[in-house]
Amino acid sequence: MKCPYCGDENTRVIDSRSTEDGDSIRRRRQCDACNKRFTTYEKIETIPVFVIKKDNTREPYDRAKIEKGIMLSCRKRPVKIEDITHMIDDIENTISGQDTKEVPSSFIGELIMDRLRTLDQVAYVRFASVYREFQDVDTFMKELQNILLRDKMTER
């Protein structure tokens, strides 16, 4: 590892520990030439995933887009940030477990709606109204009726 201060390639690890989330390792290093210390992080390299949009264009997967949509749906709702983060992590794990480098945006949208339906029904309806592009009140009401029907079936 090259020293960021003097550029020398002789550095050594003086301390190593897992990060709080356990997804990476924090390494404290010291340069043998200038004796300055610096920190590096080691993470698992993931295969980049591309999202196939409705118009068949492809773009790199972007967690921030999912986060933004969910946060807007959950705005002014009693939903904890930790629950949202956990939900997004779960969605990302499902996507990365698909054994493919390309995932349709519709698949991601359905994953989000499935998770939101159990997290907060108002947030679910908000997200669904944008995702499914409800054109009129009738379509919106049908979706609400489906929610009520599912709730009645799970109560039994």
Side-chain angles (χ1 to χ4, degrees), residues 23-24 41-48 96:
D23 289 342
S24 60
Y41 290 89
E42 182 180 318
K43 294 186 106 177
I44 295 173
E45 186 174 26
T46 57
I47 298 170
S96 65

Side-chain angles (χ1 to χ4, degrees), residues 63-75:
R63 179 185 175 106
K65 284 188 174 186
I66 291 176
E67 202 168 65
K68 181 182 175 187
I70 293 171
M71 292 297 250
L72 281 171
S73 299
C74 293
R75 197 169 133 222

Side-chain angles (χ1 to χ4, degrees), residues 9-37:
E9 292 190 15
N10 292 321
T11 63
R12 58 190 157 91
V13 176
I14 56 174
D15 183 40
S16 235
R17 63 181 72 168
S18 292
T19 56
E20 286 181 25
D21 60 9
D23 289 342
S24 60
I25 297 174
R26 178 185 179 273
R27 298 198 193 280
R28 197 73 182 131
R29 296 178 172 271
Q30 184 171 351
C31 175
D32 291 337
C34 69
N35 288 324
K36 291 201 177 184
R37 294 181 178 190

Side-chain angles (χ1 to χ4, degrees), residues 23-113:
D23 289 342
S24 60
I25 297 174
R26 178 185 179 273
R27 298 198 193 280
R28 197 73 182 131
R29 296 178 172 271
Q30 184 171 351
C31 175
D32 291 337
C34 69
N35 288 324
K36 291 201 177 184
R37 294 181 178 190
F38 59 98
T39 302
T40 60
Y41 290 89
E42 182 180 318
K43 294 186 106 177
I44 295 173
E45 186 174 26
T46 57
I47 298 170
V49 174
F50 285 86
V51 177
I52 305 169
K53 308 292 279 183
K54 288 179 187 175
D55 63 0
N56 281 328
T57 59
R58 285 157 172 72
E59 65 180 48
Y61 169 80
D62 184 2
R63 179 185 175 106
K65 284 188 174 186
I66 291 176
E67 202 168 65
K68 181 182 175 187
I70 293 171
M71 292 297 250
L72 281 171
S73 299
C74 293
R75 197 169 133 222
K76 296 184 180 181
R77 297 296 305 150
V79 178
K80 296 177 185 173
I81 296 294
E82 298 86 34
D83 292 339
I84 293 172
T85 303
H86 179 72
M87 182 174 75
I88 295 170
D89 290 343
D90 184 45
I91 290 167
E92 284 186 334
N93 289 336
T94 303
I95 292 169
S96 65
Q98 291 299 302
D99 292 333
T100 182
K101 293 181 183 178
E102 296 183 332
V103 177
S105 60
S106 58
F107 177 74
I108 296 172
E110 292 299 324
L111 287 174
I112 294 169
M113 289 200 315

